[in-house]
């Protein structure tokens, strides 16, 4: 443990003594979070639409069929009859709720009222849903629809774009810091010639590997409170779920990205190669994560890559915990997927790094 602690202290000193590195670690995330949170935007497709009402309600199901035929909506697969749970459990993006007595009789009298529940964690998507649905009702009943629909926007009633974008930017910054710092730290040792000193020192390969990774796991976790604080103060980002769940999710994700950074370092020979490798991984990872463009909008070939991307699951965890309060099934599923990815990344990187040390 004394040897490992010596490595950890060395890495902290070496990383934090450079003023530029401290700026990269603590100032750059705040600046990037502010810029990206304001600048990015999205669109809506493949909206999962559910309907709650009597099977014999002709008017209700006519609107539902018209919505599905428009090409914007797809039928939602739900396990609950409670419309609020359907949205909370991420089974539907929008739910049509008919009045207690059905919609046929009120529509016949020209007094129909239909409630539309919308998940607004993605504000641009929510605005598109409301706009599309309004157009569908108008086209179905021409210019004087015999009903009006009451829209209830859930989780983001003010329809603020930043509440959707900021969790994605937070995830990207944690990913950026951990991957680049981990990979560049080890390639710096190779470039400066001190890597041979590590190999020849009377230490075990496991101690070298832990000494090179543990500091960056801690640095990645130390950045999280800062990033969350900036998001809450500057953008009014809520934290409706458990802070401990957020920290657990972040820890698993950071372990995964540090493993990826370690893997890149076993391939690269210089810091320039390491930085290039990091960016070659990061750019597709960000674009395919659902941070900017919804995963549902992507062709199925690219969607496959989204589902093997750790960033996809961490962004979904952040949005669910911070905006919805945390759905147990979704959190457990995503954390298990991230844990499996972290274990795979660390195992492959560990084996390659031990071979390099040999």
């Amino acid at each position: 443990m004394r040897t490992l602690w010596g490595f950890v202290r060395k890495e902290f000193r070496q990383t934090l003594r450079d003023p530029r590195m401290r700026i990269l670690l603590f100032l750059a995330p705040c600046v990037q979070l502010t810029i990206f949170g304001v600048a990015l935007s999205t669109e809506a497709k493949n909206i999962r639409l559910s309907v709650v009402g009597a099977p014999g309600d002709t008017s209700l199901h006519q609107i539902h069929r018209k919505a599905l035929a428009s090409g914007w909506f797809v039928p939602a697969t739900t396990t609950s009859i409670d419309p609020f749970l359907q949205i909370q459990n991420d089974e539907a993006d929008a739910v049509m709720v008919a009045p207690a007595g059905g919609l046929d009789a009120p529509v016949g009298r020209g007094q129909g009222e239909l409630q539309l529940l919308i998940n607004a964690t993605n504000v641009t998507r929510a605005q598109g849903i409301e706009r599309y649905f309004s157009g569908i009702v108008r086209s179905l009943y021409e210019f004087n629809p015999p009903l009006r629909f009451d829209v209830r926007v859930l989780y983001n009633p003010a329809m603020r774009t930043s509440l959707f974008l900021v969790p994605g930017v937070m995830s990207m910054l944690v990913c950026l810091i951990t991957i680049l710092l981990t990979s560049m730290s080890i390639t710096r040792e190779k470039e400066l010639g001190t890597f041979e000193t590590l190999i020849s020192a009377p230490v075990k390969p496991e101690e070298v590997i832990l000494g090179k990774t543990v500091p960056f796991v801690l640095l990645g976790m130390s950045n999280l409170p800062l990033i969350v604080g900036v998001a809450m103060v500057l953008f009014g980002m809520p934290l409706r779920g458990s802070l401990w769940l957020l920290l657990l999710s972040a820890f698993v994700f950071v372990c995964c990205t540090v493993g990826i950074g370690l893997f890149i370092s076993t391939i690269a020979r210089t810091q320039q190669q390491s930085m290039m490798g990091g960016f070659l991984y990061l750019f597709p990872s960000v674009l395919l994560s659902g941070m900017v463009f919804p995963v549902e909008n992507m062709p199925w070939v690219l969607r496959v890559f989204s589902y093997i991307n750790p960033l996809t699951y961490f962004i979904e965890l952040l949005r669910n915990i911070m905006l919805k309060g945390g759905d147990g099934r979704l959190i457990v599923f995503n954390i298990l997927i991230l844990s499996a990815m972290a274990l795979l990344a660390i195992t492959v990187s560990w084996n390659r790094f031990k071979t390099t040390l040999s």
Side-chain angles (χ1 to χ4, degrees), residues 112-116 129-130 133-135 137 147-151:
E113 184 171 333
L114 177 65
Q115 187 176 66
L116 181 68
I129 292 170
E130 183 178 1
F133 200 82
S134 176
V137 171
L147 80 160
R148 65 184 185 87
F149 61 94
D150 175 31
V151 177

Side-chain angles (χ1 to χ4, degrees), residues 279-336:
F279 279 113
L280 284 175
Y281 168 81
L282 282 167
F283 280 124
S285 177
V286 168
L287 291 175
L288 297 175
S289 66
M291 187 192 89
V292 182
F293 310 106
V295 174
E296 296 83 2
N297 289 12
M298 301 176 188
W300 69 267
V301 176
L302 294 180
R303 213 176 300 171
V304 171
F305 290 98
S306 296
Y307 294 140
I308 59 173
N309 179 10
L311 201 58
T312 302
Y313 298 96
F314 187 54
I315 289 175
E316 191 170 6
L317 279 168
L318 277 184
R319 286 173 179 160
N320 194 274
I321 293 171
M322 298 189 78
L323 294 177
K324 291 187 176 182
D327 170 56
R329 288 182 301 173
L330 184 142
I331 289 172
V332 169
F333 175 77
N334 283 13
I335 287 180
L336 287 176

Side-chain angles (χ1 to χ4, degrees), residues 63 66-67 72-73 114 116 118 126-142 145 147-149 151:
I63 297 171
K66 181 72 173 179
W72 292 317
F73 296 88
L114 177 65
L116 181 68
I118 299 176
Q127 291 170 340
I129 292 170
E130 183 178 1
R131 185 171 61 252
Y132 296 160
F133 200 82
S134 176
I136 287 166
V137 171
R138 283 197 303 269
S139 67
L140 185 62
Y141 293 104
E142 297 183 352
L147 80 160
R148 65 184 185 87
F149 61 94
V151 177

Side-chain angles (χ1 to χ4, degrees), residues 76-277:
T77 303
T78 60
T79 58
S80 172
I81 60 173
D82 187 329
F84 293 96
L85 283 179
Q86 290 179 14
I87 291 184
Q88 184 178 7
N89 297 341
D90 201 33
E91 297 175 343
D93 298 311
V95 182
M96 296 165 48
V97 183
L103 200 60
D104 286 337
V107 165
R109 297 192 301 268
Q111 299 174 348
E113 184 171 333
L114 177 65
Q115 187 176 66
L116 181 68
L117 304 181
I118 299 176
N119 179 4
T121 53
N122 181 337
V123 63
T124 308
R125 194 173 180 81
Q127 291 170 340
I129 292 170
E130 183 178 1
R131 185 171 61 252
Y132 296 160
F133 200 82
S134 176
I136 287 166
V137 171
R138 283 197 303 269
S139 67
L140 185 62
Y141 293 104
E142 297 183 352
F143 301 104
N144 188 23
L147 80 160
R148 65 184 185 87
F149 61 94
D150 175 31
V151 177
R152 292 193 61 183
V153 179
L154 304 180
Y155 307 116
N156 186 6
M159 303 283 275
R160 293 167 50 208
T161 306
S162 60
L163 294 193
F164 164 69
L165 296 172
V166 167
V169 178
M170 291 165 60
S171 306
M172 183 190 70
L173 294 177
V174 173
C175 188
L176 179 72
I177 290 168
T178 51
I179 288 179
L180 290 184
L181 286 184
T182 305
S183 60
M184 290 182 65
S185 166
I186 297 170
T187 50
R188 182 173 60 244
E189 299 274 10
K190 294 179 183 178
E191 206 169 10
L192 295 177
T194 55
F195 194 70
E196 288 76 7
T197 306
L198 289 178
I199 296 175
S200 59
V203 293
K204 298 177 181 178
E206 291 80 6
E207 292 174 329
V208 177
I209 296 170
L210 286 174
K212 283 294 184 183
T213 54
V214 170
F216 299 108
V217 172
L218 297 178
L219 282 172
M221 291 300 296
S222 69
N223 253 277
L224 190 72
L226 175 66
I227 293 172
V228 171
V230 170
M232 295 177 73
V233 172
L234 289 187
F235 296 100
M237 194 76 193
L239 180 56
R240 299 188 176 114
S242 168
L243 178 61
W244 294 110
L245 275 178
L246 183 65
L247 293 175
L248 174 62
S249 305
F251 176 74
V252 177
F253 177 69
V254 166
C255 289
C256 186
T257 54
V258 167
I260 294 170
L262 184 63
F263 176 76
I264 293 172
S265 74
T266 64
I267 300 173
R269 294 184 178 274
T270 65
Q271 292 185 75
Q272 188 176 23
Q273 291 176 357
S274 176
M275 181 175 289
M276 182 63 67

